[in-house]
């Protein structure tokens, strides 16, 4: 780890210790949609958050990066790169992660989905010119079946665990955070492309949703 990276991690940890947690009582709230607040409802799913101060600090770091860096860069990228090209790159990236989708479907005993993603990969890699187009969906109506190891661990019985906000990646959980390791190892961009290509593909994948 470089000195700069270590310094950023240290600042994040120190900020997490300094963050205060504010809790509010909504029982006497009488503003807009007060009826919805007072209506009896099922409790929301429980996600333990013992790391709340740290999570708030990482969220603040991510928010600053989105507002100060990612959003301005995304505006320029959307202006320079036409939507048609962005869509082709997005299809290429979705086709590239076939190994992850295939293995994750197999490990969940989703045999039909594993067969579908294999057929999609073969058609899109050949007829779709390395996945730049998606004829498997348009012509053969083969729906994508994206899966990851967070879902694999869930199928194997690892219930939603400690809530965790990851730098750059955003809201997650301990389970899904661990699942990102085999996801990364099964991504061909990790092994066969120069450093930064995977980041570029991920950025292209989300760039149109940045304003939202």
């Amino acid at each position: 780890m470089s000195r700069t990276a270590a310094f950023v991690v240290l600042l994040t940890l120190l900020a997490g210790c300094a963050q205060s947690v504010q809790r509010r009582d909504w029982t006497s709230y009488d503003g807009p949609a007060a009826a919805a607040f007072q209506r009896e409802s099922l409790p929301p799913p429980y996600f333990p958050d013992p790391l709340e101060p740290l999570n708030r600090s990482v969220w603040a770091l991510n928010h600053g990066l989105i507002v100060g860096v990612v959003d301005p860069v995304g505006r320029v990228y959307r202006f320079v790169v036409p939507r048609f090209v962005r869509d082709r790159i997005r299809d290429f990236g979705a086709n590239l992660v076939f190994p992850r989708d295939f293995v994750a479907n197999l490990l969940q005993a989703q045999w039909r989905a594993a067969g579908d993603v294999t057929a999609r990969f073969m058609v899109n890699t050949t007829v779709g010119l390395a996945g730049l187009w998606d004829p498997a969906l348009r012509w053969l109506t083969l729906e994508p079946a994206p899966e990851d190891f967070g879902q694999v661990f869930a199928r194997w019985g690892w219930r939603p665990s400690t809530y965790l906000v990851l730098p750059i990646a955003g809201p997650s959980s301990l389970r899904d955070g661990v699942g990102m390791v085999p996801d990364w190892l099964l991504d061909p961009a990790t092994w066969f492309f120069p450093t930064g290509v995977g980041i570029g593909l991920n950025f292209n994948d989300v760039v149109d949703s940045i304003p939202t």
Side-chain angles (χ1 to χ4, degrees):
M1 180 182 294
S2 67
R3 293 184 178 180
T4 302
F7 182 67
V8 171
V9 171
L10 178 61
L11 285 181
T12 303
L13 292 173
L14 291 176
C17 296
Q19 283 280 346
S20 60
V21 178
Q22 296 181 355
R23 306 198 181 277
R24 298 181 179 179
D25 181 7
W26 296 96
T27 56
S28 59
Y29 174 72
D30 59 357
F37 280 84
Q38 306 301 330
R39 184 171 61 244
E40 182 178 358
S41 61
L42 294 175
Y46 174 65
F47 295 95
D49 191 10
L51 304 176
E52 184 172 357
L54 178 61
N55 284 334
R56 288 180 179 273
S57 298
V58 177
W59 175 89
L61 172 65
N62 288 344
H63 183 70
L65 289 174
I66 290 173
V67 172
V69 179
V70 179
D71 185 35
V73 173
R75 291 176 186 270
V76 174
Y77 182 82
R78 290 193 300 272
F79 178 78
V80 173
V81 181
R83 180 62 180 263
F84 174 80
V85 177
R86 300 200 303 270
D87 288 345
R88 301 288 67 76
I89 296 174
R90 187 172 293 115
D91 285 347
F92 173 79
N95 189 64
L96 189 65
V97 295
F98 158 73
R100 182 204 67 192
D101 294 342
F102 177 70
V103 173
N105 275 293
L106 280 184
L107 292 177
Q108 295 178 79
Q110 297 176 167
W111 315 120
R112 180 172 181 177
D116 286 348
V117 298
T118 302
R120 281 179 51 80
F121 177 74
M122 295 175 65
V123 171
N124 289 343
T125 301
T126 54
V127 181
L129 302 179
L132 294 175
W133 278 268
D134 191 357
L137 176 61
R138 297 172 186 172
W139 301 346
L140 304 178
T141 65
L142 285 172
E143 295 286 342
E147 294 288 328
D148 57 48
F149 272 77
Q151 293 165 298
V152 171
F153 293 152
R155 179 62 65 91
W156 289 357
W158 189 349
R159 296 299 95 194
S161 54
T162 302
Y163 180 66
L164 185 65
V165 180
L166 299 171
I168 310 299
S172 185
S173 67
L174 182 60
R175 179 192 72 193
D176 292 347
V178 172
M180 292 176 68
V181 176
D183 289 344
W184 177 76
L185 293 174
L186 285 170
D187 185 349
T190 303
W191 306 102
F192 300 111
F193 291 94
T195 302
V197 170
I199 296 174
L201 290 173
N202 288 331
F203 178 77
N204 181 83
D205 192 44
V206 303
V207 69
D208 291 310
S209 62
I210 290 174
T212 305

